Amino acid sequence: QVRLVESGGGLVQPEGSLRVSCTTSGFTLDYSVIGWFRRAPGKEREGVSCINMNDGSTYYTDSVKGRFTISGDTAKNTVYLQMNSLKPEDTALYYCAADFSCRNYGGHYYYTSPAYWGQGTQVTVSS
């Protein structure tokens, strides 16, 4: 049974940093595509970033490029999203998701609908 459990969310001031984690079980992380989505208040859920654990390639939506970094640790079955220079508009419920496709094309981030989702962890950026 696939399970994704997020942790590490919280309250942070603008320009601060936070790292959220996704601990996985029930599948082999080494050969997976896994990533992060978020839903801000009053907005649609959007894809933030993904990593292809087969080759280490990573992709990001435009609004977080240069500020967020996704990484994975197969020994710990965990994927991380390091978020720096946080802005109030980054406030959202952040979800870990697995088993989908993602890519950059023409400078934009595209992704399919994931098969598996975590419950989410809240990130609030506010002074």
Side-chain angles (χ1 to χ4, degrees), residues 31-104:
Y31 308 118
S32 301
V33 173
I34 190 164
W36 292 90
F37 291 70
R38 66 185 180 186
R39 187 194 301 273
K43 294 189 176 181
E44 300 273 328
R45 186 163 55 191
E46 66 167 343
V48 175
S49 178
C50 69
I51 181 168
N52 185 332
M53 296 298 292
N54 285 288
D55 59 14
S57 54
T58 58
Y59 304 98
Y60 301 90
T61 193
D62 286 350
S63 62
V64 307
K65 283 179 183 174
R67 300 189 299 123
F68 289 13
T69 303
I70 190 170
S71 62
D73 185 336
T74 55
K76 296 182 178 180
N77 290 320
T78 300
V79 174
Y80 305 98
L81 185 67
Q82 176 68 44
M83 302 181 288
N84 299 328
S85 302
L86 282 160
K87 305 175 182 181
E89 50 265 42
D90 294 317
T91 293
L93 187 60
Y94 282 72
Y95 298 91
C96 179
D99 193 5
F100 65 105
S101 298
C102 58
R103 61 182 294 201
N104 272 117

